[in-house]
Amino acid sequence: MFNMLFGLKDIHTVIANQRKIGGAAEADSIRLSSGEIYNNPVFTNVDISKGQYVSVGFIDENGANIIAHVDQIAIIKGLQHKLICQLNNSFIKQIMVRDTLQYLQKLCEVNHGFVTQTFKKEAMKIVRDISVKELHKHNITLPFPVEDNLVHMSDRMHA
């Protein structure tokens, strides 16, 4: 699910709709005009004031939380929307997996005994975001069977 993002508006959309679409906005690197380079930043916030983008917040692969004014950004390379399981930034990936698994467990508790189509759809979206491997790794079971070899038609690559 590598979807190219083209700017701050796309980053803001991913952050604002994170629960609906899952994943995060990650870049290969960001270079500030001061020369500092941050590898595998995951964007956490985009501040807007009076319709103008003012600042962006991101966490780099070392766990540094940086907020930069948009005028300080020189280059953003390889900006993409990725699922949590596809992130290269292991620091934020670990945090996002933990938070998502907590949300999934609460979702299962609330829907205990009632496996509705809506619940199943949301739970499967979460599992797809973090991967079935992470689900097994943390010994979490869902109240319905989950196959780890599913290929969704919309995700299939064509030659």
Side-chain angles (χ1 to χ4, degrees):
M1 172 169 201
F2 292 113
N3 293 327
M4 294 301 296
L5 301 180
F6 299 103
L8 297 175
K9 183 178 180 181
D10 291 343
I11 295 170
H12 183 261
T13 302
V14 169
I15 294 169
N17 297 302
Q18 197 267 337
R19 185 169 172 238
K20 291 180 192 174
I21 61 174
E26 182 181 48
D28 293 336
S29 66
I30 292 180
R31 184 171 54 101
L32 301 181
S33 53
S34 61
E36 298 167 307
I37 297 175
Y38 299 97
N39 294 315
N40 299 316
V42 174
F43 293 89
T44 57
N45 192 34
V46 176
D47 291 323
I48 302 173
S49 177
K50 298 179 184 176
Q52 299 289 327
Y53 294 102
V54 179
S55 64
V56 294
F58 58 90
I59 298 176
D60 74 349
E61 65 185 354
N62 298 323
N65 190 2
I66 293 101
I67 298 173
H69 192 276
V70 292
D71 292 342
Q72 293 177 312
I73 299 172
I75 296 175
I76 300 176
K77 289 185 180 178
L79 181 60
Q80 296 178 334
H81 172 238
K82 297 179 179 180
L83 296 174
I84 294 172
C85 62
Q86 296 170 325
L87 293 175
N88 294 323
N89 184 327
S90 58
F91 180 83
I92 196 74
K93 181 178 181 177
Q94 188 177 31
I95 292 169
M96 291 181 84
V97 165
R98 183 195 67 215
D99 293 348
T100 305
L101 286 173
Q102 286 176 349
Y103 175 73
L104 180 61
Q105 286 178 323
K106 289 288 184 188
L107 186 66
C108 289
E109 286 176 22
V110 168
N111 290 287
H112 182 70
F114 300 100
V115 181
T116 64
Q117 193 62 28
T118 307
F119 161 64
K120 195 172 182 178
K121 185 177 177 181
E122 185 167 0
M124 286 306 296
K125 179 184 65 68
I126 293 168
V127 170
R128 182 172 169 253
D129 197 17
I130 61 172
S131 81
V132 175
K133 186 172 123 182
E134 285 291 332
L135 203 63
H136 293 312
K137 183 178 169 183
H138 290 88
N139 295 323
I140 295 177
T141 56
L142 297 177
F144 55 88
V146 177
E147 295 182 34
D148 58 351
N149 59 353
L150 294 178
V151 176
H152 298 280
M153 293 303 289
S154 61
D155 297 340
R156 215 171 71 182
M157 300 286 232
H158 300 292

